[in-house]
Amino acid sequence: MVFGRGMRLLAGAMTVACILLVGPSAPSSAPSVRTLPVDAVGDVVPNRVMTWNICNPCEASNVDRAAEIATYAPQVIGLQEACVRDVERIRDYLESVYGLVYHVEYGMVLRNWGRCGGAPWSPGAFGQALLSAAPMTDRVNVEYPDGGSEDRGYMAVTTMLGGRPVRVFNTHLAQRRQEAVRAEQTGVLAAAIARHDRAIVLGDFNAVPDAPELTRVWALASDTDPQCQPSAVGSCEQTTDWHSKFDYVFLRGIAPLRHRVQPTPYSDHHLLYTDLDPA
């Protein structure tokens, strides 16, 4: 009896330990399906691309994140501050709940138990991810030599847009008040962008349009909003809860048709998507 009681205590302790080790990315209960708005699209929209910093840790539900994405259903989605396990769940919900099927590639730069859960000796991967309705090839994942206060980097893939190949970049630059670090990072990124005649650059740049550290990117590409310029002359829509534009869809060799900035309660960054001219 003593042995049996000891085994039950050990099993209970192991169960509690497993719950603690799973970490913050694990759902606390079974997810409930969220109904999409009446004006939500019904299927993946060709030639539509989106960037979204999903805010981590923000304890947002991946069901809600998936519903936000499904409302606009872009062909290509760039996510920042993403954990692999969260992206896997978002992707699963997009397919099982909304019938939207995406390929996925990851550009992870660190492993962090506090952000992404997992076991302390094997924490979850954290960084960028790209979802695409069309297959992606030639993925590269580059960590910037200096990430600033946290490791940062960019990833890139080649996919098809309007029947033609395009290079898609997804990045997250150093946090605010690290201008010199971001300037070095954009130098690395710009050198990669310059090698391609057709490129889409998605991401959270943590810098306003007229910030000097963005000069090298502006020299190669334009923002999806033609009114948004690297000077005080243009008018750029804010993409964050603190009334700044930090999120961009930079275009090189591709023309935009229309764009939208959509605030969301599930992140401190707004969704930004654009429809592109496939020609």
Side-chain angles (χ1 to χ4, degrees), residues 8 39 54 65 67 77-79 111 121 129 146 155 159 212 214 227 234-235 245 252 257:
R8 287 195 298 273
D39 59 345
I54 60 176
R65 289 166 169 164
I77 306 154
L79 301 177
R111 292 185 175 274
W121 57 88
D146 183 359
M155 64 179 298
T159 189
L214 296 188
Q227 299 301 315
S235 175
K245 178 177 171 66
R252 177 174 169 86
L257 294 176

mmCIF file of all heavy atoms in Angstrom, residues 8 39 54 65 67 77-79 111 121 129 146 155 159 212 214 227 234-235 245 252 257:
data_model
loop_
_atom_site.group_PDB
_atom_site.id
_atom_site.type_symbol
_atom_site.label_atom_id
_atom_site.label_comp_id
_atom_site.label_asym_id
_atom_site.label_seq_id
_atom_site.Cartn_x
_atom_site.Cartn_y
_atom_site.Cartn_z
ATOM 1 N N ARG A 8 1.421 6.784 -6.829
ATOM 2 C CA ARG A 8 0.388 7.752 -7.188
ATOM 3 C C ARG A 8 0.870 9.181 -6.952
ATOM 4 O O ARG A 8 0.617 10.082 -7.746
ATOM 5 C CB ARG A 8 -0.885 7.471 -6.384
ATOM 6 C CG ARG A 8 -1.636 6.230 -6.843
ATOM 7 C CD ARG A 8 -3.040 6.199 -6.278
ATOM 8 N NE ARG A 8 -3.038 6.141 -4.820
ATOM 9 C CZ ARG A 8 -2.979 5.007 -4.111
ATOM 10 N NH1 ARG A 8 -2.897 3.840 -4.741
ATOM 11 N NH2 ARG A 8 -3.021 5.044 -2.789
ATOM 12 N N ASP A 39 -18.300 40.394 -44.091
ATOM 13 C CA ASP A 39 -17.558 40.822 -45.282
ATOM 14 C C ASP A 39 -16.218 40.112 -45.420
ATOM 15 O O ASP A 39 -15.383 40.505 -46.237
ATOM 16 C CB ASP A 39 -17.351 42.339 -45.272
ATOM 17 C CG ASP A 39 -16.576 42.814 -44.043
ATOM 18 O OD1 ASP A 39 -16.444 42.026 -43.074
ATOM 19 O OD2 ASP A 39 -16.099 43.972 -44.041
ATOM 20 N N ILE A 54 2.685 39.661 -34.225
ATOM 21 C CA ILE A 54 1.588 39.101 -33.447
ATOM 22 C C ILE A 54 1.757 39.297 -31.946
ATOM 23 O O ILE A 54 0.907 38.852 -31.169
ATOM 24 C CB ILE A 54 1.368 37.611 -33.775
ATOM 25 C CG1 ILE A 54 2.619 36.782 -33.472
ATOM 26 C CG2 ILE A 54 0.934 37.452 -35.218
ATOM 27 C CD1 ILE A 54 2.403 35.277 -33.694
ATOM 28 N N ARG A 65 -6.109 34.790 -33.473
ATOM 29 C CA ARG A 65 -5.121 35.199 -34.469
ATOM 30 C C ARG A 65 -5.459 34.614 -35.841
ATOM 31 O O ARG A 65 -5.390 35.301 -36.861
ATOM 32 C CB ARG A 65 -3.722 34.752 -34.035
ATOM 33 C CG ARG A 65 -3.140 35.513 -32.860
ATOM 34 C CD ARG A 65 -1.930 34.794 -32.308
ATOM 35 N NE ARG A 65 -1.177 35.606 -31.351
ATOM 36 C CZ ARG A 65 -0.283 35.120 -30.512
ATOM 37 N NH1 ARG A 65 -0.024 33.812 -30.502
ATOM 38 N NH2 ARG A 65 0.366 35.920 -29.682
ATOM 39 N N ALA A 67 -8.395 33.705 -36.894
ATOM 40 C CA ALA A 67 -9.604 34.350 -37.409
ATOM 41 C C ALA A 67 -9.293 35.710 -38.018
ATOM 42 O O ALA A 67 -9.870 36.093 -39.046
ATOM 43 C CB ALA A 67 -10.638 34.491 -36.297
ATOM 44 N N ILE A 77 1.797 35.703 -45.957
ATOM 45 C CA ILE A 77 1.688 36.315 -44.642
ATOM 46 C C ILE A 77 3.051 36.275 -43.968
ATOM 47 O O ILE A 77 3.638 35.197 -43.811
ATOM 48 C CB ILE A 77 0.674 35.563 -43.756
ATOM 49 C CG1 ILE A 77 -0.681 35.444 -44.451
ATOM 50 C CG2 ILE A 77 0.538 36.232 -42.394
ATOM 51 C CD1 ILE A 77 -1.482 34.250 -43.984
ATOM 52 N N GLY A 78 3.541 37.433 -43.545
ATOM 53 C CA GLY A 78 4.762 37.505 -42.754
ATOM 54 C C GLY A 78 4.421 37.788 -41.305
ATOM 55 O O GLY A 78 3.750 38.776 -41.009
ATOM 56 N N LEU A 79 4.857 36.920 -40.400
ATOM 57 C CA LEU A 79 4.618 37.087 -38.971
ATOM 58 C C LEU A 79 5.931 37.370 -38.259
ATOM 59 O O LEU A 79 6.958 36.752 -38.573
ATOM 60 C CB LEU A 79 3.981 35.828 -38.373
ATOM 61 C CG LEU A 79 2.640 35.387 -38.962
ATOM 62 C CD1 LEU A 79 2.193 34.079 -38.305
ATOM 63 C CD2 LEU A 79 1.575 36.459 -38.791
ATOM 64 N N ARG A 111 15.925 30.647 -28.971
ATOM 65 C CA ARG A 111 15.027 29.753 -28.244
ATOM 66 C C ARG A 111 14.777 30.365 -26.876
ATOM 67 O O ARG A 111 15.719 30.722 -26.175
ATOM 68 C CB ARG A 111 15.631 28.349 -28.126
ATOM 69 C CG ARG A 111 15.710 27.664 -29.480
ATOM 70 C CD ARG A 111 16.186 26.226 -29.370
ATOM 71 N NE ARG A 111 16.122 25.571 -30.674
ATOM 72 C CZ ARG A 111 15.047 24.982 -31.162
ATOM 73 N NH1 ARG A 111 13.937 24.949 -30.439
ATOM 74 N NH2 ARG A 111 15.059 24.426 -32.349
ATOM 75 N N TRP A 121 15.129 22.797 -20.838
ATOM 76 C CA TRP A 121 16.306 22.343 -21.580
ATOM 77 C C TRP A 121 16.058 22.281 -23.093
ATOM 78 O O TRP A 121 16.971 22.030 -23.867
ATOM 79 C CB TRP A 121 16.742 20.970 -21.079
ATOM 80 C CG TRP A 121 15.663 19.938 -21.164
ATOM 81 C CD1 TRP A 121 15.366 19.132 -22.234
ATOM 82 C CD2 TRP A 121 14.714 19.619 -20.153
ATOM 83 N NE1 TRP A 121 14.295 18.333 -21.958
ATOM 84 C CE2 TRP A 121 13.871 18.597 -20.677
ATOM 85 C CE3 TRP A 121 14.477 20.081 -18.857
ATOM 86 C CZ2 TRP A 121 12.822 18.054 -19.954
ATOM 87 C CZ3 TRP A 121 13.430 19.518 -18.134
ATOM 88 C CH2 TRP A 121 12.623 18.525 -18.670
ATOM 89 N N ALA A 129 8.145 34.027 -39.310
ATOM 90 C CA ALA A 129 7.583 32.927 -40.088
ATOM 91 C C ALA A 129 6.899 33.502 -41.317
ATOM 92 O O ALA A 129 6.380 34.620 -41.291
ATOM 93 C CB ALA A 129 6.596 32.110 -39.266
ATOM 94 N N ASP A 146 24.600 42.033 -35.077
ATOM 95 C CA ASP A 146 24.260 42.663 -33.808
ATOM 96 C C ASP A 146 22.743 42.799 -33.759
ATOM 97 O O ASP A 146 22.154 43.544 -34.540
ATOM 98 C CB ASP A 146 24.934 44.036 -33.684
ATOM 99 C CG ASP A 146 24.672 44.699 -32.335
ATOM 100 O OD1 ASP A 146 23.945 44.104 -31.499
ATOM 101 O OD2 ASP A 146 25.197 45.801 -32.106
ATOM 102 N N MET A 155 14.476 36.557 -42.818
ATOM 103 C CA MET A 155 14.366 35.352 -43.611
ATOM 104 C C MET A 155 13.899 35.743 -44.999
ATOM 105 O O MET A 155 13.344 36.827 -45.199
ATOM 106 C CB MET A 155 13.380 34.370 -42.980
ATOM 107 C CG MET A 155 11.945 34.866 -42.913
ATOM 108 S SD MET A 155 10.782 33.675 -42.188
ATOM 109 C CE MET A 155 10.907 32.309 -43.350
ATOM 110 N N THR A 159 8.745 32.636 -54.032
ATOM 111 C CA THR A 159 7.440 32.049 -54.299
ATOM 112 C C THR A 159 6.889 32.664 -55.575
ATOM 113 O O THR A 159 7.536 33.521 -56.200
ATOM 114 C CB THR A 159 6.471 32.261 -53.118
ATOM 115 O OG1 THR A 159 5.283 31.493 -53.338
ATOM 116 C CG2 THR A 159 6.111 33.723 -52.948
ATOM 117 N N PRO A 212 16.665 57.879 -40.174
ATOM 118 C CA PRO A 212 17.853 57.730 -41.027
ATOM 119 C C PRO A 212 18.238 56.281 -41.286
ATOM 120 O O PRO A 212 18.770 55.963 -42.365
ATOM 121 C CB PRO A 212 18.938 58.463 -40.229
ATOM 122 C CG PRO A 212 18.200 59.438 -39.377
ATOM 123 C CD PRO A 212 16.915 58.754 -39.019
ATOM 124 N N LEU A 214 16.532 53.863 -42.115
ATOM 125 C CA LEU A 214 15.779 53.225 -43.199
ATOM 126 C C LEU A 214 16.201 53.721 -44.584
ATOM 127 O O LEU A 214 15.668 53.260 -45.593
ATOM 128 C CB LEU A 214 14.276 53.463 -43.024
ATOM 129 C CG LEU A 214 13.610 52.860 -41.782
ATOM 130 C CD1 LEU A 214 12.097 53.017 -41.870
ATOM 131 C CD2 LEU A 214 13.985 51.400 -41.595
ATOM 132 N N GLN A 227 1.374 57.355 -50.615
ATOM 133 C CA GLN A 227 1.424 58.618 -49.872
ATOM 134 C C GLN A 227 2.474 58.602 -48.774
ATOM 135 O O GLN A 227 2.791 59.650 -48.204
ATOM 136 C CB GLN A 227 0.057 58.904 -49.257
ATOM 137 C CG GLN A 227 -1.066 59.044 -50.268
ATOM 138 C CD GLN A 227 -0.796 60.161 -51.265
ATOM 139 O OE1 GLN A 227 -0.382 61.257 -50.885
ATOM 140 N NE2 GLN A 227 -1.018 59.885 -52.542
ATOM 141 N N GLY A 234 5.038 63.206 -46.997
ATOM 142 C CA GLY A 234 4.019 62.180 -47.132
ATOM 143 C C GLY A 234 3.174 62.030 -45.879
ATOM 144 O O GLY A 234 3.461 62.597 -44.820
ATOM 145 N N SER A 235 2.105 61.250 -46.023
ATOM 146 C CA SER A 235 1.211 60.967 -44.902
ATOM 147 C C SER A 235 1.129 59.459 -44.739
ATOM 148 O O SER A 235 0.589 58.759 -45.597
ATOM 149 C CB SER A 235 -0.185 61.547 -45.157
ATOM 150 O OG SER A 235 -1.068 61.183 -44.127
ATOM 151 N N LYS A 245 4.161 54.533 -37.239
ATOM 152 C CA LYS A 245 4.255 53.550 -38.318
ATOM 153 C C LYS A 245 5.584 52.828 -38.176
ATOM 154 O O LYS A 245 6.656 53.413 -38.386
ATOM 155 C CB LYS A 245 4.172 54.200 -39.696
ATOM 156 C CG LYS A 245 4.328 53.165 -40.842
ATOM 157 C CD LYS A 245 4.170 53.798 -42.204
ATOM 158 C CE LYS A 245 4.548 52.813 -43.318
ATOM 159 N NZ LYS A 245 3.618 51.658 -43.394
ATOM 160 N N ARG A 252 9.672 46.252 -54.477
ATOM 161 C CA ARG A 252 10.716 46.523 -55.469
ATOM 162 C C ARG A 252 10.335 45.823 -56.770
ATOM 163 O O ARG A 252 10.213 44.592 -56.825
ATOM 164 C CB ARG A 252 12.070 46.014 -54.961
ATOM 165 C CG ARG A 252 13.238 46.165 -55.940
ATOM 166 C CD ARG A 252 14.529 45.766 -55.248
ATOM 167 N NE ARG A 252 15.657 45.638 -56.150
ATOM 168 C CZ ARG A 252 16.449 46.634 -56.543
ATOM 169 N NH1 ARG A 252 16.208 47.865 -56.113
ATOM 170 N NH2 ARG A 252 17.473 46.427 -57.362
ATOM 171 N N LEU A 257 -1.862 47.968 -55.629
ATOM 172 C CA LEU A 257 -3.190 48.364 -56.072
ATOM 173 C C LEU A 257 -3.950 49.082 -54.960
ATOM 174 O O LEU A 257 -4.524 50.138 -55.171
ATOM 175 C CB LEU A 257 -3.988 47.140 -56.534
ATOM 176 C CG LEU A 257 -3.470 46.424 -57.783
ATOM 177 C CD1 LEU A 257 -4.291 45.175 -58.056
ATOM 178 C CD2 LEU A 257 -3.502 47.367 -58.982
#
